[in-house]
Amino acid sequence: MLKKLICTAMLCLSSIAAFAHDYTLGDITIDHPWARATPPKAMNAGVFMLLTSQSGDQLIAVSSEIANKTEVHEMKMVDGVMKMRPLPAGLTLTPQQTVKLVPGSFHIMLLGIKQALKENDAFPLTLTFAKAGKITVNVKVQAMTDLTADTPKHGHN
Ligand SMILES: [Cu+2]
């Protein structure tokens, strides 16, 4: 149901919403990992998904062969400017609460991507959780022209 709500908000095509694209690892559900398509010379890209842990966990590492570096970021207002910064200890998953990695909030940042991300492409991303361990998910690339207002701008502290 959550996926449907999220996809409606992002004006997903119904074919994307219908695509079975969930993963489970231990008691963690990873729902609809996707990345926003990038312009041809882009250096960075954002990856989004919904994470739910029944007993609580911590996303401590992320990696992908398509980027030089991969970080978990949060977005915060600093002096009236929205900035993103890495979460050094990773992302906390509170028991039974869905953590939404969505544009404008938490996200996984691919830094130094080796190629532009094109709509309908897919690539592997490995997530490591403190308790549940490791899983590699397939990230779908989607065009998100309706959400260009929060295209990642990098203001790393
Ligand atoms: Cu970022």
Side-chain angles (χ1 to χ4, degrees), residues 35-105:
R36 181 182 281 160
T38 64
K41 298 246 166 88
M43 299 292 294
N44 306 316
V47 180
F48 312 99
M49 65 192 69
L50 304 183
L51 295 173
T52 313
S53 167
Q54 290 309 309
S55 63
D57 211 325
Q58 187 91 0
L59 174 62
I60 51 171
V62 279
S63 65
S64 179
E65 64 197 20
I66 70 155
N68 290 327
K69 202 173 174 199
T70 311
E71 295 176 341
V72 182
H73 282 185
E74 66 171 348
M75 295 195 75
K76 265 211 163 151
M77 290 296 277
V78 179
D79 300 328
V81 179
M82 193 59 118
K83 288 200 165 177
M84 57 173 93
R85 62 171 200 186
L87 290 168
L91 179 65
T92 302
L93 305 182
T94 305
Q96 293 171 26
Q97 272 184 32
T98 298
V99 178
K100 296 177 188 176
L101 286 81
V102 293
S105 180

Side-chain angles (χ1 to χ4, degrees), residues 73 84 107 109 154:
H73 282 185
M84 57 173 93
H107 56 277
M109 203 82 214
H154 264 77

